[in-house]
């Protein structure tokens, strides 16, 4: 989340707290009760999406990267053994098909790497006995098969997590705009009469509507009217 979003959500929460604390003062105002409930519902939804948006996906990314590295290393190990075997047996086609370099593997997509791993196993299996002298046995083929399977699973997991974060970010933007509208277009107007009959409550509300700017530039107000109290609001 951006600092601006965090600042606004804190303002929403402070404003809602003031409204809840003084709910007895507007118990007869159905419109104000309903708009406060909308504000509270949006805050709860914002918190839910914020948790998804801020969910740490570094573990998934790290696991995927580690698995890719393992697959690449095993592909290269089998590749050089196949090239050595093809050189010794004068198999030009096998030598050409089996040759891969670290730089080439690093540039290909995840899906293509999985295809190359499968092809490497397919090429190595018929000549496995001849590869033992070049330090590749069934154990290496089994390891590559398992690592490739694990790597395939990690690809959609990482993409789903990333997509969820992007979707949550868009939803947070929408909810912040909606909550701003609830305050500016509804609650601000409904609260204005209280400045005459319950000035303390109204002053608390106006102070809560101040957005505390945590970027170091000082507080700024969301509402157009100045705060009546001369005291600066404390950080929330």
């Amino acid at each position: 989340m951006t600092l601006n979003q965090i600042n606004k959500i804190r303002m929403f929460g402070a404003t809602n707290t003031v409204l809840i604390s003084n709910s007895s003062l507007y118990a007869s105002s159905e419109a104000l009760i309903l708009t406060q409930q909308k504000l509270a519902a949006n805050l709860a939804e914002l918190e839910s999406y914020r948790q998804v948006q801020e969910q740490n996906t570094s573990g998934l990314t790290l696991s995927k990267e580690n698995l890719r590295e393992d697959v690449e290393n095993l592909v290269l190990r089998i590749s050089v053994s196949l090239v050595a075997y093809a050189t010794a047996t004068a198999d030009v086609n096998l030598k050409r098909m089996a040759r891969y370099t670290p730089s080439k593997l690093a540039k290909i997509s995840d899906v293509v790497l999985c295809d190359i791993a499968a092809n490497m196993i397919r090429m190595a299996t018929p000549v496995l006995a001849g590869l033992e002298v070049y330090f590749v046995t069934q154990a290496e083929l089994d390891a590559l098969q398992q690592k490739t399977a694990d790597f395939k699973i990690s690809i959609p997991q990482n993409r789903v997590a990333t997509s969820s974060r992007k979707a949550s970010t868009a939803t947070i933007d929408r909810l912040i705009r909606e909550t701003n509208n609830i305050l500016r277009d509804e609650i601000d107007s409904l609260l204005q009469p209280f400045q005459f009959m319950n000035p303390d409550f109204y002053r608390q509300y106006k102070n809560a509507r101040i957005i505390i700017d945590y970027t170091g530039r000082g507080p700024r107000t969301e509402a157009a009217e100045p705060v009546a109290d001369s005291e600066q609001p404390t950080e929330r």
Side-chain angles (χ1 to χ4, degrees):
M1 295 181 68
T2 66
L3 284 173
N4 184 55
Q5 290 175 328
I6 292 171
N7 292 340
K8 285 194 173 185
I9 290 174
R10 283 173 171 162
M11 181 270 287
F12 297 157
T15 303
N16 189 53
T17 297
V18 169
L19 291 172
I20 291 174
S21 300
N22 294 275
S23 59
S24 61
L25 298 178
Y26 56 89
S28 61
S29 174
E30 183 179 358
L32 188 49
I33 291 172
L34 291 175
T35 50
Q36 184 277 321
Q37 289 174 349
K38 286 196 295 183
L39 173 64
N42 273 26
L43 278 172
E45 196 171 357
L46 271 169
E47 176 61 21
S48 174
Y49 280 102
R50 182 193 64 79
Q51 291 175 357
V52 175
Q53 199 269 340
E54 294 184 352
Q55 183 181 10
N56 186 0
T57 59
S58 60
L60 287 175
T61 302
L62 181 61
S63 175
K64 175 177 171 290
E65 290 176 352
N66 288 341
L67 284 168
R68 176 170 178 126
E69 183 179 355
D70 290 343
V71 171
E72 287 182 7
N73 288 338
L74 283 165
V75 166
L76 288 171
R77 180 172 177 179
I78 297 171
S79 171
V80 296
S81 296
L82 279 170
V83 169
Y85 171 83
T87 301
T89 58
D91 190 333
V92 177
N93 288 333
L94 179 61
K95 186 175 182 179
R96 176 179 53 82
M97 291 188 296
R99 188 184 298 279
Y100 284 94
T101 63
S103 60
K104 183 175 181 179
L105 291 178
K107 295 176 182 177
I108 61 177
S109 68
D110 295 337
V111 174
V112 173
L113 179 61
C114 292
D115 291 340
I116 290 173
N119 285 335
M120 201 62 63
I121 294 172
R122 178 182 57 79
M123 289 187 290
T125 299
V127 296
L128 187 58
L131 296 180
E132 291 186 7
V133 68
Y134 303 110
F135 314 112
V136 166
T137 64
Q138 186 63 48
E140 281 69 44
L141 300 189
D142 291 344
L144 178 57
Q145 187 170 33
Q146 184 60 57
K147 291 290 184 181
T148 303
D150 293 341
F151 181 54
K152 283 183 177 179
I153 293 173
S154 74
I155 297 171
Q157 286 179 338
N158 190 269
R159 289 176 179 170
V160 167
T162 301
S163 297
S164 296
R165 288 184 55 139
K166 289 180 179 178
S168 297
T169 299
T171 303
I172 286 172
D173 288 340
R174 175 182 59 79
L175 285 169
I176 286 177
R177 287 195 302 270
E178 288 180 1
T179 308
N180 263 331
N181 291 338
I182 290 171
L183 286 169
R184 185 184 64 244
D185 300 337
E186 299 181 59
I187 297 181
D188 282 354
S189 297
L190 291 169
L191 259 290
Q192 281 187 352
F194 286 87
Q195 65 184 301
F196 302 105
M197 299 304 298
N198 300 95
D200 289 342
F201 167 42
Y202 187 71
R203 186 180 298 109
Q204 289 178 47
Y205 174 79
K206 295 294 289 183
N207 283 337
R209 286 282 278 124
I210 292 175
I211 297 177
I212 305 298
D213 194 339
Y214 289 91
T215 61
R217 294 188 295 272
R220 55 191 174 86
T221 56
E222 175 71 16
E225 300 176 31
V227 180
D229 200 329
S230 60
E231 284 188 307
Q232 292 295 325
T234 55
E235 179 175 315
R236 296 182 181 88

